[in-house]
Amino acid sequence: MSNTSTEQANRFISLKDIKKSSFIALWFMFLTFPIMVIKVNTVNNTVEWRWANMIIIGVASFILSHVWRLFMNRRDGKLSDEQKGGQTVEKLTLRQKLDQKPVVAKSLSYAVLVLAIIFPLISGMYQTSIMITALLYVVLALGLNIMIGLSGLLVLGYIVFYGVGAYTYALLNLHFGVNFWVALPIGGIFAMIIGILIAIPVLRLQGDYLAIVTLAFGEIFRIVLENWNDLSFGPSGIANIPRPTIFGLDLNVSQATNLTYFIVLAFVLVTIFVIKRLEDSRIGRSLVAMREDEIASEAMGIDMGKTKLVAFALSTFWAGVAGVIFAGKTTFINPSSFTMWESILVLCMVVLGGMGSIPGAIVGALIITLLPEYLRAFSEYRMVIFGVVLVLVMVFKPDGMIPSIRQKYEFKKKPESNMKEAE
Amino acid sequence: MLKIENLETFYGNIQALKGIDLHIEDGEIVTLIGANGAGKTTTLMSISGVVPPRNGKIILNGKDITGTAADDIVSMGLIQVPEGRRIFSELSVAENLDMGAFLRNDAAEIKRDMEYVYQLFPILAERRHQHGGTLSGGEQQMLAISRALMAKPKILLLDEPSLGLAPIIVQQIFDIIKKINQEQGTTVFLVEQNANQALKIAHKGYVMETGRITMSDTASNLLADDEVKKAYLGI
C-alpha cells in the first residue's frame, strides 16, 4: 500500500489521477454551467451561450485538481516513508535546528526585536497602525492559547474579555476622567473578574458544551452592549477616547500612534515572558494535566475547579489589557468591534500557529492580521486567497505552523519506540 | 486505617451502592472482587471523593472524610490509580511521575522516590523521556502505579490493574503490588475482576454483587470457598 503511493508520488502523471481530475473538471463544468455559460440578454430578449467559459473552467479545474492530487500524493508518500522508520534520515524542523544552535536562535530573536523596535521609525503611520492591530491580536492569541493550547478548554467567546477591557477604559474615562495608564491594569483585572464569573457556571462543562456556552456568552455580551443605551450608548458607541500619552506631553496623532506601538510591543514582550514562565510552573503543569485527563489529575490531587478558574483568570487578563490599548488606539469603540467573527479569528490564529506553542500563536496572529492587509492589492479576491491559505496550512501542517515542542518530540521519538517493540 | 460504614452512592436515581461496609487495617492488602457492574469502581470513586456518596460514612485514620473534596483526600495520603490507567499521554514518563508528586514540595525526597520507582520498574527508567501515550498497555499500568506511588500514599487504591493485559504482565504487576506492600508498608485496596490473582496476594477479600457485599473473609478462605470458586474462579 505504502509502496504504491510512493511510486505514484514519484510519477508525475498516473492514469488514475487523470481520470479523477477529469471527473472533477466535468463536475465543475456542470456546476457552473448556469452562471458561466448561459447569459440572458434582457434587452434583446436573446440567450447567449458562452461555451468558451465552460472550456476555461474545465481546463482550470482539471489543472488545479491535478496539482492538488500531486501534492497530496507527495505528502502521503512522505508520511509512509516516515512510518517505515529507521532508514529515512530524520528531517529536522526549523525549530529543532534552532534549538540545536542557541547562538543563532538568540541572535535571530534579537534581530527580530531590533526590527520591531525601529519599525515605526522606518515606516509610515499607516503601517505602524496596522502593526499595532497585529500585535494586539498577538496578545489575544497568546492569551487564548493559555485556555485552548495549555488547558484544553475550548472557549469561543474570547473577544468578550477584549471588549470588557475596551469598555472599562472608555467608560471610566468618560465618567471619571481616568487616564490610560490607570485604566490599563483595571481593564485587565475587570476582564479577569468577568472571566471568573463566567467560569463559575461552566466549571462542569467540557469540550463542545463549553464551546457552546462561551459562544452564547459572547453573543449575550454584544447584544447587551447594543441595547443598554444608558451604559454603553448602544450601537453608536463611545467616541473621543483619549490616546495614551506619557509624562503629560501633548502628542500629535503620529507621535501617539508610535507611543501606542511601543506600549503594545512592550506588552507583547511581557506577555511572552509571563506565559513562558507559566508553562514551566506548577500552575502550568496542572493546566497541562487538566488538558490531558481530568480524572487522573483529580486522582493526583489537583483541584479541577480551582485549576479551571485559574486558567480563565490568567487567560482573560491579557484580553482585558489588550482591550484597553485597543480603545486608546482607535479612540472610538462600539459593539461591532467585538463580534463572533473576532472570536473565531483569534481561535484561527491559535490553531493555525499551533496549539500550545508561543511562537505559533505569534506567527498565527501575524499571518491572519497582516495577510488580508497586504493582499489588498488583489482587492476583491483577497478573502478568497486568505481562505485558500488557511485551508492549505491546515492540510499540509495539521499541527499548525509552529507546533508546540511536545508534539514535535513525540514524532521524533516514535520510530525508536516502534523499533524497540518490534525486537 | 480505612473504615466504611453503610455507604450508599447514586447516579441520578440509580442506586449503585446499597449500603456497603468495609474494613481495611494498616498494612493489609484487601481486595474487592465481583462481576461487571457490581459497583466496585463506584466504591473506589466514592472513597476517593470523585463521586460523592449520598449516605454512609468513610473514616480514614479515625477522621470522617465523607464529602471531602478529591484533592484534599489525596493530600491525606489516599491515592487512587484510576481504572483504565489514565496516564497523561502527551507528557513524558518523567513528567507523568512529576505530576504524581504534585502536592509535595520536598524536592530531594521526590527525587529519591523517583529513583525507587525506576528501580521497581526498570523499563520506565529506560523510557523516561518517551511520551506516556507511546508505552504499551503493561508499561502504562506500571506508570500509573508509579505515578500514584510518587504521591507517597499511605493507602493505595487500585482499580483493575489487570485490565486488558497479558497474563504474564498481570503476574508481574501483582508481584510488584505485593512488593510495595511489604517494602513500603503501604496499605493496598485492590479492586479486581481477576479474582484468582487478587486473592493470591491479598490478606482479606470482599465479594460484591449488585451493590452489596455478599461475602467477606480472609483471602485464603475465599480461595477455598466453593461458591467463590464456582462464580469467580471458574473452577
Side-chain angles (χ1 to χ4, degrees), chain A residues 6 28 52 90 95 165 183 187 192 202 219 241 250 266 275 292-293 298-299 337 342 347 375-376:
Chain A
T6 346
F28 264 85
E90 253 181 64
R95 177 98 185 258
M192 203 157 132
V202 301
E219 282 302 280
I241 304 165
D250 241 351
I275 294 182
E292 296 279 304
D293 195 315
E298 235 172 328
S337 301
E342 304 290 323
L347 180 69
L375 283 176
R376 274 186 201 283

Side-chain angles (χ1 to χ4, degrees), chain A residues 156-198:
Chain A
L156 282 186
Y158 189 63
I159 215 73
V160 167
F161 310 108
Y162 189 51
V164 168
Y167 268 89
T168 305
Y169 175 41
L171 290 173
L172 281 180
N173 183 268
L174 189 73
H175 295 301
F176 306 107
V178 172
N179 79 22
F180 175 81
W181 295 101
V182 178
L184 203 59
I186 296 179
I189 291 166
F190 207 66
M192 203 157 132
I193 292 170
I194 300 282
I196 292 173
L197 286 181
I198 290 181

Side-chain angles (χ1 to χ4, degrees), chain A residues 282-283 285-286 288-304 306 404-411 413-414 416-417 420-421, chain B residues 45 49-50 70-71 74 79-80 82 86-92 95 98-105 126-127 129-131 134-136 139 147-148:
Chain A
R282 202 177 162 76
I283 297 173
R285 285 196 304 159
S286 63
V288 173
M290 173 167 76
R291 177 189 73 196
E292 296 279 304
D293 195 315
E294 291 205 9
I295 289 190
S297 312
E298 235 172 328
M300 299 296 95
I302 301 169
D303 185 338
M304 275 301 103
K306 214 170 81 194
S404 80
I405 207 82
R406 285 192 190 292
Q407 281 160 347
K408 268 276 92 78
Y409 196 54
E410 183 176 23
F411 280 120
K413 278 284 164 187
K414 242 177 185 164
E416 191 189 315
S417 70
K420 260 187 196 155
E421 262 160 25
Chain B
M45 290 292 191
V50 177
D71 49 300
V74 171
I79 320 290
Q80 186 193 0
R86 289 189 175 271
I87 55 155
F88 303 115
S89 57
E90 273 191 25
L91 301 187
S92 72
E95 281 173 317
D98 248 352
M99 288 311 305
F102 187 77
L103 288 177
R104 294 171 56 187
N105 280 318
E126 221 172 276
R127 310 208 156 173
H129 298 302
Q130 207 170 308
H131 275 243
T134 64
L135 299 180
S136 73
E139 289 161 3
R147 189 180 59 184

Side-chain angles (χ1 to χ4, degrees), chain A residues 63-73 75 78 348 351-353 367-368 371 375 383-402:
Chain A
I63 292 172
L64 278 179
S65 154
H66 202 77
V67 169
W68 174 258
R69 223 163 280 285
L70 221 62
F71 274 112
M72 292 305 268
N73 277 348
R75 191 192 71 161
K78 224 188 251 170
C348 280
V351 175
L352 183 84
I367 289 179
I368 289 192
L371 197 62
L375 283 176
M383 286 326 260
V384 175
I385 299 174
F386 180 57
V388 169
V389 170
L390 287 192
V391 171
L392 287 179
V393 169
M394 277 356 276
V395 168
F396 290 103
K397 296 200 80 109
D399 289 331
M401 305 284 290
I402 308 176

Side-chain angles (χ1 to χ4, degrees), chain A residues 298-299, chain B residues 41-53 58 65 68-74 78-81 157:
Chain A
E298 235 172 328
Chain B
T41 298
T42 308
T43 310
L44 273 199
M45 290 292 191
S46 293
I47 296 172
S48 60
V50 177
V51 183
I58 304 163
I65 60 161
T68 310
D71 49 300
D72 289 330
I73 293 179
V74 171
L78 185 147
I79 320 290
Q80 186 193 0
V81 180
L157 272 54

Side-chain angles (χ1 to χ4, degrees), chain B residues 20-213:
Chain B
I20 284 187
D21 296 283
L22 290 172
H23 196 79
I24 299 166
E25 289 294 337
D26 226 339
E28 268 187 335
I29 299 181
V30 176
T31 181
L32 179 66
I33 56 177
N36 277 337
K40 305 184 302 282
T41 298
T42 308
T43 310
L44 273 199
M45 290 292 191
S46 293
I47 296 172
S48 60
V50 177
V51 183
R54 201 173 283 181
N55 290 314
K57 257 189 191 165
I58 304 163
I59 296 158
L60 179 67
N61 285 329
K63 205 169 147 201
D64 190 351
I65 60 161
T66 326
T68 310
D71 49 300
D72 289 330
I73 293 179
V74 171
S75 68
M76 292 174 197
L78 185 147
I79 320 290
Q80 186 193 0
V81 180
E83 185 177 8
R85 313 186 271 269
R86 289 189 175 271
I87 55 155
F88 303 115
S89 57
E90 273 191 25
L91 301 187
S92 72
V93 169
E95 281 173 317
N96 263 285
L97 294 176
D98 248 352
M99 288 311 305
F102 187 77
L103 288 177
R104 294 171 56 187
N105 280 318
D106 41 348
E109 236 179 283
I110 290 176
K111 205 162 175 227
R112 201 161 56 229
D113 282 353
M114 206 178 267
E115 287 312 314
Y116 172 71
V117 160
Y118 282 149
Q119 180 210 320
L120 272 184
F121 299 107
I123 186 82
L124 292 183
E126 221 172 276
R127 310 208 156 173
R128 65 177 84 186
H129 298 302
Q130 207 170 308
H131 275 243
T134 64
L135 299 180
S136 73
E139 289 161 3
Q140 287 191 7
Q141 185 63 56
M142 292 172 192
L143 179 56
I145 294 174
S146 307
R147 189 180 59 184
L149 286 179
M150 290 303 292
K152 245 192 171 0
K154 295 196 184 80
I155 174 162
L156 189 62
L157 272 54
L158 293 160
D159 197 352
E160 299 221 19
S162 71
L163 189 77
L165 300 182
I168 183 155
I169 308 280
V170 173
Q171 185 61 51
Q172 209 179 331
I173 282 178
F174 276 81
D175 286 346
I176 294 277
I177 293 171
K178 202 170 174 185
K179 197 169 159 195
I180 293 166
N181 171 259
Q182 281 166 355
E183 281 182 4
Q184 305 274 300
T186 313
T187 312
V188 175
F189 183 46
L190 176 64
V191 163
E192 254 307 331
Q193 284 209 53
N194 192 335
N196 190 23
Q197 292 273 12
L199 287 172
K200 266 185 194 154
I201 64 161
H203 302 107
K204 212 163 71 186
Y206 288 92
V207 179
M208 197 168 185
E209 263 168 53
T210 56
R212 285 199 179 81
I213 301 282

